[in-house]
Amino acid sequence: MTLLHRPLPSLLLSTASAGAAATAAALGPLPVWKLSDLYEAKDAPQLKQDMEKASELSLAFEAKWKGKLAEAAASTGAGGIGEALKEYEALDDLLGKIGSFAGLTYFSDTSDPANGKFYGDVQAKLTDLSSHLLFFALELNRIDDAVMNACMDRDPSAGHYRPWIVDLRQDKPFQLDDKLEQLFLEKSMTSAAAFNRLFDETMAELRFEVDGERLNLEPTLNMLQEPRPEARAKAAAALSKTFGDNLRVFTLITNTLAKDKEISDRWRGFEDIADSRHLANRVEREVVDALAAAVQEAYPRLSHRYYAMKAKWLGMDQLNYWDRNAPLPETPNALIPWKDAQNTVLSAYRDFAPEMAEIAGRFFDEDWIDAPARPGKAPGAFAHPTVPSAHPYVLVNYMGKPRDVMTLAHELGHGVHQVLAGEQGALMCQTPLTLAETASVFGEMLTFRALLEKTTDTRERKAMLAQKVEDMINTVVRQIAFYQFERKLHTARKDGELTAEQIGELWLSVQAESLGPAIRISEGYETWWTYIPHFIHSPFYVYAYAFGDCLVNSLYAVYQQAAPGFQQKYFELLKAGGTKHHSELLKPFGLDATDPSFWSKGLSMIEGLIDELEAMDTSA
């Protein structure tokens, strides 16, 4: 299929400018994803037909199986649990396809009221249909363990879904009766889902004034990587002002969602504020606690030490908070064209395994990527798996910075993972978040190492190493600080609603601890918690980044030792999807996340890169 590119629109900034035009020319044509692989349009006849089909099948499934699963567990073949699971999986795929199209359409331009209405209407319809399917998991979990095990042993069609059934039964202690579960599901549309949408639409509408230009979030954040100190300072001031101007709505959203979660956790019987996330990630609380403790203990050796070095490189006693990601003087200033970014990532993937590059190449060739930064588009980057019957999509906001190339490598790693795991089918393809970051971070590491090996200039090598260290600090130290902020916030919220000032104080306390004395945290930074989407969409998600980075550091060390059959083992890990626990997946590599020394090994790689930078300083 021919790749159809669209040029970066002049609406990169809300006012047309020569700078935007120059950026567009430098980056070259940027692709926009082709959502017609799902449906042609919001009013496509096929979408309408699939909505009607989903409604009919959901009602028919409920009528056929509700109240009869215990009897079905005693049957084999027709009328058995295996048949029910196959029908349920097909329905899950169909509903997922519809929901994915609505979500991706919305995130393409969250400022378009028509997109908002479409997304809201589809979500409401899917929630209604899901209420007819809710009984299935609840009823399955009420079947006695011995009966269910015998059923899976006896019936191959049911045994095929054993990993999903075993996984599902971990939720059993926390499930409520059917009526309450239905109430929670239906009320989610007017509680958590509504406030998530309010956050997204508020963020999309925000504008940040810099030198008379009104920018949206991505270009403003991008200015924090500008080489000119005054540009970074102006961007930071604009961000702080707009965040401050909208503090009231972000405080309301945060308080409401924290309370909503507390109510849900209390009814379900979760002991710790993060236990529901640990359960969803299929990771033990003790493992996450060990990770967080190891990272916090390493703050002085990692972030504190590195930022002190960076302040010296930039000729400052202390870095301002907006200088944290400032480029070094050695960093090349030229923008990286999209085509160069594509070739860089695919080449690194190909050197590791041709199959990996072949899968990633399809994202470019078949228009599965949306790259331009434009007003209304969702900020940041993500890879959406959609459903196994379709294919994943990747969203980035490509601005031509070296970090954008690494973001592309990261999201394509997710995409490759999602393609491979899709072979497990709709019920078993979803990977827990802790392992979902493995392929993305590994893809980044491959790209970084490939670039570093080709760099012979000492100054450029230093800039590359420094940027990689910063990215790893952002992934590990910063995300664990985020996790600790969430823990403090959700704990404090139990005692009553929090003011914006109280939330800001919690934010500054973890930032000061994690960043260290070399970063000057001044007025304005207390509002920067407002724009982090993970706090809103996926509470306590953030530790998964640190988990994935440390895991990949250990995994990459095994790869560097030329372990026999590494690539094959790696692909088996990705293909497993959600069918295996992290301990089972890491065992072939000789790794164990429950080992107290595991996290220290991962963190030692970051420390080693800082050592290398310090040695370069000494020899200069």
Side-chain angles (χ1 to χ4, degrees):
M1 182 180 295
T2 303
L3 179 63
L4 299 176
H5 290 290
R6 293 185 189 177
L8 184 72
S10 60
L11 287 176
L12 172 65
L13 308 181
S14 59
T15 58
S17 70
T23 298
L27 298 183
L30 297 178
V32 174
W33 54 27
K34 189 181 66 175
L35 297 184
S36 58
D37 287 355
L38 296 171
Y39 297 102
E40 289 291 340
K42 296 194 289 284
D43 59 352
Q46 186 59 51
L47 175 58
K48 182 179 179 181
Q49 291 171 20
D50 277 359
M51 289 287 281
E52 293 171 353
K53 178 181 177 182
S55 180
E56 293 170 3
L57 291 177
S58 297
L59 292 171
F61 184 86
E62 181 181 37
K64 180 177 180 180
W65 295 108
K66 189 172 184 179
K68 303 169 186 174
L69 293 183
E71 179 184 345
S75 304
T76 302
I81 291 291
E83 179 182 327
L85 283 163
K86 188 174 181 180
E87 291 179 11
Y88 183 77
E89 182 172 49
L91 255 173
D92 188 79
D93 191 282
L94 178 59
L95 294 173
K97 181 182 178 183
I98 295 169
S100 295
F101 177 72
L104 294 173
T105 299
Y106 174 65
F107 290 122
S108 298
D109 185 359
T110 60
S111 64
D112 184 344
N115 285 349
K117 173 176 168 49
F118 174 66
Y119 180 61
D121 288 347
V122 170
Q123 286 292 96
K125 181 64 176 177
L126 294 181
T127 299
D128 178 57
L129 296 182
S130 296
S131 69
H132 295 288
L133 307 176
L134 185 63
F135 78 91
F136 187 67
L138 301 174
E139 200 170 314
L140 271 181
N141 271 348
R142 284 197 289 267
I143 298 173
D144 184 78
D145 288 348
V147 174
M148 183 58 74
N149 287 332
C151 171
M152 292 187 288
D153 290 340
R154 183 181 64 251
D155 183 356
S157 61
H160 169 74
Y161 295 97
R162 183 185 298 271
W164 184 81
I165 294 172
V166 171
D167 200 47
L168 176 70
R169 292 175 90 77
Q170 293 188 48
D171 296 331
K172 188 174 181 178
F174 308 101
Q175 72 182 37
L176 306 172
D177 65 59
D178 291 16
K179 285 291 186 182
L180 280 174
E181 289 288 358
Q182 185 169 353
L183 176 64
F184 269 56
L185 176 67
E186 293 185 13
K187 287 288 287 181
S188 68
M189 285 301 300
T190 55
S191 54
F195 279 90
N196 272 258
R197 180 176 165 187
L198 175 60
F199 174 85
D200 290 336
E201 295 186 4
T202 302
M203 289 303 306
E205 290 293 330
L206 295 186
R207 293 296 179 265
F208 307 86
E209 188 167 337
V210 181
D211 289 336
E213 289 189 301
R214 290 171 52 80
L215 315 183
N216 54 310
L217 180 63
E218 286 295 335
T220 314
L221 289 173
N222 193 57
M223 289 182 68
L224 298 176
Q225 301 176 48
E226 283 289 324
R228 294 177 296 112
E230 61 274 16
R232 299 194 298 270
K234 288 178 180 179
L239 289 163
S240 295
K241 183 180 186 308
T242 300
F243 294 154
D245 290 345
N246 292 271
L247 206 50
R248 184 176 179 181
V249 68
F250 288 123
T251 301
L252 173 62
I253 292 170
T254 300
N255 271 291
T256 302
L257 289 175
K259 183 61 178 179
D260 184 79
K261 185 180 185 304
E262 186 272 326
I263 293 170
S264 178
D265 286 354
R266 176 160 37 86
W267 275 81
R268 294 188 182 283
F270 287 110
E271 293 179 4
D272 184 78
I273 50 178
D275 275 353
S276 59
R277 175 61 61 195
H278 302 333
L279 178 66
N281 285 344
R282 299 307 187 243
V283 64
E284 299 74 21
R285 187 200 303 171
E286 295 74 19
V287 172
V288 179
D289 288 347
L291 164 64
V295 174
Q296 284 184 279
E297 191 272 332
Y299 285 169
R301 306 194 309 273
L302 302 179
S303 49
H304 296 189
R305 179 184 170 205
Y306 174 75
Y307 289 131
M309 291 167 57
K310 184 170 184 176
K312 183 182 68 173
W313 295 335
L314 295 181
M316 304 169 70
D317 294 328
Q318 273 186 307
L319 297 172
N320 297 299
Y321 69 82
W322 57 80
D323 297 320
R324 190 170 51 83
N325 291 320
L328 300 187
E330 295 88 344
T331 305
N333 291 327
L335 295 178
I336 301 168
W338 174 257
K339 200 65 180 177
D340 289 356
Q342 174 181 340
N343 292 337
T344 295
V345 175
L346 292 183
S347 175
Y349 278 22
R350 190 175 298 108
D351 289 343
F352 173 73
E355 179 184 356
M356 193 170 175
E358 181 182 348
I359 296 171
R362 295 183 64 192
F363 284 78
F364 297 95
D365 297 338
E366 301 182 31
D367 296 343
W368 297 354
I369 304 176
D370 192 285
R374 57 179 180 266
K377 180 179 174 180
F382 62 73
H384 193 305
T386 70
V387 289
S389 63
H391 59 76
Y393 284 93
V394 161
L395 179 145
V396 294
N397 282 272
Y398 190 77
M399 306 287 288
K401 298 288 187 181
R403 276 197 174 90
D404 294 337
V405 179
M406 292 300 156
T407 297
L408 180 63
H410 181 103
E411 299 305 338
L412 284 173
H414 278 308
V416 170
H417 194 174
Q418 291 161 356
V419 169
L420 291 171
E423 298 173 7
Q424 297 292 345
L427 294 186
M428 296 185 290
C429 67
Q430 297 296 328
T431 306
L433 292 178
T434 42
L435 290 171
E437 293 299 331
T438 303
S440 55
V441 179
F442 195 82
E444 275 191 82
M445 184 65 78
L446 289 173
T447 305
F448 166 71
R449 290 293 181 182
L451 288 172
L452 190 66
E453 287 175 12
K454 296 175 184 176
T455 303
T456 56
D457 183 274
T458 304
R459 287 170 56 82
E460 286 189 20
R461 187 178 179 87
K462 177 182 177 181
M464 286 186 64
L465 282 169
Q467 184 169 292
K468 183 58 179 175
V469 167
E470 289 179 20
D471 288 344
M472 295 173 96
I473 288 174
N474 285 339
T475 303
V476 177
V477 171
R478 184 168 167 80
Q479 300 304 324
I480 290 301
F482 283 177
Y483 176 63
Q484 297 301 348
F485 166 69
E486 287 189 279
R487 292 197 62 87
K488 288 187 174 186
L489 187 147
H490 283 260
T491 299
R493 180 64 179 89
K494 290 183 178 182
D495 294 329
E497 191 163 311
L498 301 173
T499 65
E501 290 74 20
Q502 288 174 312
I503 299 174
E505 288 170 3
L506 296 177
W507 169 256
L508 291 181
S509 70
V510 298
Q511 291 298 303
E513 179 190 8
S514 63
L515 296 175
I519 300 285
R520 181 187 297 110
I521 298 178
S522 52
E523 186 178 356
Y525 193 56
E526 70 278 359
T527 64
W528 283 43
W529 55 270
T530 56
Y531 82 97
I532 309 297
H534 302 86
F535 299 158
I536 305 302
H537 297 307
S538 307
F540 301 106
Y541 175 108
V542 287
Y543 73 74
Y545 288 111
F547 192 110
D549 197 280
C550 289
L551 187 157
V552 165
N553 289 343
S554 298
L555 200 61
Y556 197 84
V558 176
Y559 171 56
Q560 284 183 309
Q561 294 163 8
F566 181 91
Q567 279 86 343
Q568 182 60 36
K569 293 175 185 176
Y570 179 73
F571 277 107
E572 290 303 315
L573 182 153
L574 301 188
K575 290 176 181 177
T579 62
K580 296 180 180 179
H581 188 261
H582 63 78
S583 58
E584 190 179 355
L585 288 170
L586 295 178
K587 190 174 182 180
F589 302 97
L591 301 174
D592 180 5
T594 63
D595 183 344
S597 66
F598 176 79
W599 303 116
S600 298
K601 291 176 184 176
L603 294 170
S604 67
M605 178 175 284
I606 308 175
E607 194 170 357
L609 293 177
I610 298 175
D611 289 343
E612 188 173 347
L613 280 167
E614 192 169 55
M616 292 176 75
D617 251 13
T618 304
S619 62

